Amino acid sequence: MICERGNKLNPKFESLKINGRCSLQGEIKISGAKNSALVLLAASLLTKDKVYLANVPDISDIRKMKNILKSIGVKIDDNDREQMIINAENLYFGNIPHNLVNELRASFFCIGPLLSKLGHASLALPGGCNIGKRSIEEHIKGLQELGATIEEKDGFVNAKINNNRKRLKGKHIRLGCPSVGATETLVMAAVLAEGKTIISNAAREPEIQDLCEMLNKMGAKIRQAGTSKIYIEGVNYLNGCSHEVIPDRIEAGTFLIASAATLSCITISPVIPAHLNSLLQKLKESGSEIIIKNNSITIKTKKVRGVNIETAPFPGFPTDLQAPFTALMLKATGKSIIKETIFENRMNHIDLLKKMGASIRSENNIAIVSGVKKLSGRKLKGSDLRSTAAIIIAALTADNPSLVEGLEHLDRGYENFECKLKKLGADIKRDLTVNISNNSCKDDFLINDVQDIYAA
Ligand code: EPZ
């Protein structure tokens, strides 16, 4: 049984103490996909009936999304850990508060359903984040093409259906880039629109396929989800449904990478192997043995060779696994070239990994990694969800202990991350971060200072 974290302290004041030279073994359960559950919660706004959602991960982004839905009248019963019941029968129109939207960019997914259901919507403009400016112009352009007037004023996006019409009007929309969020926003806007909509240059991610599968269960008429051209025939209303969130392919990939980096052998399930093809290909190329059995994957690694990766929209190599994969390449034999093409600022982990002794040259979102024999444990702080996972993976392979902060980022997208690693045999412990007095804390401060403190 995975250890559940009882008292949820504020992760900003917690850190993970990780002893290096780790080897993993055994099997862990993969949770429901964060990037599917978030959009499925938003899609539940499209019906007055109850939506029964199973396999929703217990992570902070989901808790934030639930608060956002409750702020506009949605009732959520999550007493049963196995299944969440969402009831959006009595939505009331209100500006979703700035602070809630700013804490969770994915709240912007609500604009499509609210526009379709209420004819108008007002949400705080989602800001950028540590990995990039996170533009929403494709969302806005697409909604305007479906017949909405969108005004950005005082940090809010105010949307309403033109000419006091009751429904948006279907259209052929060509996205300027295969944006995941824009594709999801426009699918949720088009399902209740009048007439037919085609979304060209649509994103193909599995989370979009999961969304369209749930909407079709609710009575929507969507075809070709998962291809770059999605066809939608608007309907008058949607019913409730029961749906199970797909397994999180990014969590699954993170654990496969952690196993390879520590030259271990683990099994993960449930997974949908087809969602991980690009990563599995690269892991095999770098020397791991991969065994797929129905919905489980076993990975065995005896050596790691440097391989090159370039992130791309699905089915290409996922940008969300770029940082964890970089951590795998640190001790590989030979060089590897890591190219990030999706986000403009998603290399924040590079400097942190170099503090541990990694040999990396990076410029313009390209990192050239030369494998080294040893990495040194350090006190490090992650700056976003996936960079924090990357430094934890590096810490597992270091020659001495590390202290990793930034767990408020980690807890956004990984459910019981350190508990799952501990179940696999890692020597890892979450504790309150001890404020080390200035005289003992140096820039490259070594871990033994903390050991004394923890030992006390
Ligand atoms: C989703 O973000 C995911 N988040 C991200 O996961 C993921 O990294 C990303 O898709 C790419 O796969 C959720 O699903 C909640 P995009 P999203 O719109 O929808 C540019 C994680 O770690 N763009 O496909 O915001 C944009 O600036 C998170 O779990 C425009 O230029 O991604 C970015 O550079 C991080 N104009 C690129 O496209 C637009 O109108 C990809 O953005 C929209 C996007």
Side-chain angles (χ1 to χ4, degrees):
M1 175 62 190
I2 292 284
C3 60
E4 300 275 343
R5 284 182 53 228
N7 60 326
K8 288 205 184 333
L9 295 172
N10 183 335
K12 282 199 176 107
F13 306 118
E14 294 181 304
S15 50
L16 290 178
K17 192 172 156 227
I18 303 165
N19 278 331
R21 298 171 182 271
C22 161
S23 172
L24 304 174
Q25 63 279 326
E27 178 162 356
I28 48 137
K29 180 182 178 300
I30 297 301
S31 301
K34 162 179 88 80
N35 292 346
S36 183
L38 287 169
V39 72
L40 296 176
L41 281 169
S44 305
L45 295 170
L46 287 161
T47 176
K48 287 182 176 303
D49 299 343
K50 286 181 180 174
V51 172
Y52 297 80
L53 214 41
N55 202 30
V56 178
D58 180 17
I59 52 177
S60 61
D61 271 11
I62 292 295
R63 293 193 282 275
K64 289 172 190 166
M65 188 58 145
K66 289 192 291 187
N67 289 337
I68 284 163
L69 295 183
K70 288 174 187 169
S71 77
I72 51 174
V74 178
K75 294 209 176 357
I76 296 181
D77 174 356
D78 52 5
N79 295 320
D80 173 356
R81 276 285 293 123
E82 298 306 310
Q83 172 177 267
M84 191 180 285
I85 307 171
I86 302 109
N87 179 349
E89 188 181 7
N90 299 312
L91 273 188
Y92 51 75
F93 174 68
N95 294 355
I96 298 182
H98 245 294
N99 64 308
L100 292 181
V101 174
N102 280 344
E103 276 182 18
L104 181 68
R105 299 190 70 266
S107 55
F108 199 69
F109 283 145
C110 297
I111 193 163
L114 289 175
L115 197 50
S116 300
K117 277 291 292 304
L118 303 176
H120 50 77
S122 181
L123 283 96
L125 193 59
C129 69
N130 290 340
I131 64 175
K133 66 178 172 41
R134 310 297 294 271
S135 161
I136 55 164
E137 89 263 1
E138 293 297 334
H139 303 238
I140 301 298
K141 259 176 31 190
L143 291 172
Q144 287 168 333
E145 291 196 53
L146 290 171
T149 301
I150 312 271
E151 178 206 30
E152 288 180 28
K153 194 170 167 227
D154 305 334
F156 271 83
V157 175
N158 304 307
K160 70 179 177 51
I161 298 179
N162 290 344
N163 314 323
N164 295 323
R165 291 166 59 93
K166 285 261 175 280
R167 294 169 73 185
L168 293 166
K169 197 153 171 39
K171 187 95 181 312
H172 186 167
I173 300 165
R174 289 176 179 75
L175 288 180
C177 66
S179 157
V180 173
T183 304
E184 291 165 339
T185 291
L186 298 175
V187 163
M188 292 190 283
V191 286
L192 291 176
E194 209 174 296
K196 292 184 170 44
T197 297
I198 299 173
I199 303 173
S200 295
N201 197 21
R204 301 171 52 190
E205 272 66 8
E207 293 75 25
I208 291 167
Q209 298 172 58
D210 201 24
L211 168 66
C212 293
E213 190 182 317
M214 185 176 100
L215 290 170
N216 280 343
K217 280 183 188 174
M218 296 165 74
K221 291 180 181 168
I222 307 169
R223 289 185 300 109
Q224 306 290 321
T227 72
S228 54
K229 200 162 190 175
I230 300 178
Y231 297 82
I232 301 158
E233 191 174 334
V235 294
N236 296 324
Y237 63 88
L238 292 177
N239 305 304
C241 76
S242 292
H243 188 76
E244 180 170 333
V245 180
I246 54 172
D248 193 320
R249 61 192 170 101
I250 305 302
E251 182 198 20
T254 305
F255 278 102
L256 291 174
I257 291 168
S259 179
T262 52
L263 303 180
S264 302
C265 173
I266 71 165
T267 297
I268 60 172
S269 73
V271 288
I272 300 173
H275 291 173
L276 286 152
N277 281 341
S278 56
L279 172 69
L280 296 177
Q281 181 52 44
K282 286 297 176 184
L283 287 171
K284 280 185 232 170
E285 209 182 301
S286 76
S288 291
E289 184 190 351
I290 303 281
I291 301 146
I292 295 175
K293 269 197 200 115
N294 302 325
N295 70 346
S296 82
I297 295 177
T298 298
I299 181 170
K300 288 180 190 166
T301 310
K302 291 192 171 51
K303 61 186 178 319
V304 179
R305 283 189 299 274
V307 293
N308 301 335
I309 63 161
E310 180 169 334
T311 61
F314 191 87
F317 192 94
T319 173
D320 296 346
L321 288 176
Q322 178 262 111
F325 198 88
T326 303
L328 169 63
M329 292 292 104
L330 301 184
K331 292 172 76 175
T333 47
K335 280 190 191 313
S336 51
I337 300 172
I338 313 277
K339 193 171 177 190
E340 172 60 51
T341 68
I342 302 291
F343 289 105
E344 60 271 30
N345 187 35
R346 200 168 204 178
M347 295 289 209
N348 303 318
H349 47 289
I350 298 292
D351 287 343
L352 297 169
L353 297 174
K354 286 165 78 171
K355 280 189 176 176
M356 299 177 77
S359 168
I360 309 176
R361 280 187 300 115
S362 65
E363 194 176 356
N364 302 329
N365 285 324
I366 297 175
I368 299 167
V369 185
S370 306
V372 292
K373 288 262 178 281
K374 73 188 285 292
L375 293 171
S376 303
R378 280 286 183 274
K379 180 175 181 273
L380 299 159
K381 182 169 182 143
S383 59
D384 63 74
L385 170 55
R386 309 301 175 184
S387 74
T388 307
I391 55 179
I392 291 170
I393 291 171
L396 292 172
T397 68
D399 283 33
N400 52 316
S402 296
L403 197 71
V404 177
E405 295 178 314
L407 304 192
E408 66 276 20
H409 303 297
L410 186 77
D411 291 351
R412 285 191 44 214
Y414 291 101
E415 186 178 30
N416 292 324
F417 191 66
E418 76 274 8
C419 295
K420 293 185 181 182
L421 281 172
K422 190 182 287 185
K423 182 171 184 283
L424 292 170
D427 182 353
I428 183 169
K429 186 169 184 291
R430 182 187 285 241
D431 242 325
L432 272 175
T433 302
V434 180
N435 286 324
I436 294 106
S437 61
N438 288 336
N439 57 8
S440 70
C441 185
K442 306 183 282 298
D443 285 347
D444 60 350
F445 127 107
L446 292 177
I447 201 70
N448 47 22
D449 300 356
V450 181
Q451 273 171 327
D452 301 344
I453 293 166
Y454 275 121

